[in-house]
Amino acid sequence: VSIDRFDDIVDKQLQEHPEIARYLKDLDAYSTETFDHSINVALLTFTELLKKGMYSEEEIEEWVGAALVHDAGKLTTPIALLHADSNLDKDDISKLMRHSIDGLRVALDYNFSEICTAAIIGHHLSAESLESPNFENVGKSKYAWRSEFGESYIKDIMQEHLGTLT
């Protein structure tokens, strides 16, 4: 894997999408650990897409950009919880896992693309639920989300904001 090629793609994403650059700057100021994680996820995404050998350069660039912002909802997670040790109780884990759903507001605030928004909302959803027609089963992915957001909330936001991806 060429790190130089990855660096070039990230540079291109930051130049062509100032909203991603602004978000990453804000994220690094809020949580360098989460910023570092996001860079690592983008590199892993790049590596996996290259291995599969079936994606265009444009698709790789789009998904690297989406990987950079996938944890955008963590900007809404209290820093003490975000950096807590591994001894989290069930309520804390539920609050931490909200970042995927709370990320929609962040995505809209930064005016992220639909692919970036999909990565933000969908990165903790099961593949089976994402593949269901019109996202019918996404609410079943996480019990904590069902109990907190209701049975259809996640399906509704997926259909409203990611409808062209189905």
Side-chain angles (χ1 to χ4, degrees), residues 25-32 74-80 82-83:
K25 182 178 177 183
D26 292 346
L27 180 64
D28 192 23
Y30 189 68
S31 171
T32 299
K74 287 188 176 177
L75 283 177
T76 68
T77 303
I79 200 73
L82 192 58
H83 293 168

Side-chain angles (χ1 to χ4, degrees), residues 1-18 20-21 24 39 41-50 55-68 116:
V1 174
S2 168
I3 289 295
D4 290 338
R5 184 172 171 203
F6 173 73
D7 287 344
D8 289 345
I9 288 172
V10 171
D11 287 345
K12 184 176 180 183
Q13 288 297 301
L14 299 180
Q15 289 173 12
E16 292 181 2
H17 301 282
I20 293 176
L24 288 173
I39 299 299
V41 168
L43 179 58
L44 180 62
T45 299
F46 170 75
T47 302
E48 291 300 313
L49 293 175
L50 283 184
Y55 296 94
S56 69
E57 188 69 16
E58 182 179 302
E59 289 171 315
I60 292 171
E61 291 169 1
E62 286 178 331
W63 283 109
V64 165
L68 288 169
C116 287

Side-chain angles (χ1 to χ4, degrees), residues 21-145:
R22 186 168 53 93
Y23 160 75
L24 288 173
K25 182 178 177 183
D26 292 346
L27 180 64
D28 192 23
Y30 189 68
S31 171
T32 299
E33 290 174 28
T34 306
F35 171 86
D36 291 346
H37 165 73
S38 296
I39 299 299
N40 289 332
V41 168
L43 179 58
L44 180 62
T45 299
F46 170 75
T47 302
E48 291 300 313
L49 293 175
L50 283 184
K51 278 185 197 175
K52 292 184 188 224
M54 53 191 270
Y55 296 94
S56 69
E57 188 69 16
E58 182 179 302
E59 289 171 315
I60 292 171
E61 291 169 1
E62 286 178 331
W63 283 109
V64 165
L68 288 169
V69 303
H70 80 279
D71 268 341
K74 287 188 176 177
L75 283 177
T76 68
T77 303
I79 200 73
L81 182 59
L82 192 58
H83 293 168
D85 62 20
S86 60
N87 297 322
L88 299 174
D89 64 25
K90 188 177 179 180
D91 287 338
D92 287 339
I93 291 170
S94 181
K95 289 175 190 170
L96 185 61
M97 293 306 295
R98 281 186 59 110
H99 76 275
S100 293
I101 306 306
D102 291 343
L104 173 61
R105 185 177 68 235
V106 177
L108 295 173
D109 288 347
Y110 282 89
N111 198 29
F112 287 141
S113 70
E114 190 171 50
I115 288 176
C116 287
T117 303
I120 292 165
I121 299 171
H123 76 278
H124 283 292
L125 295 172
S126 69
E128 296 81 23
S129 69
L130 290 172
E131 292 168 356
S132 66
N134 296 315
F135 306 113
E136 287 298 325
N137 296 320
V138 297
K140 297 176 182 173
S141 277
K142 299 274 183 211
Y143 172 77
W145 293 346

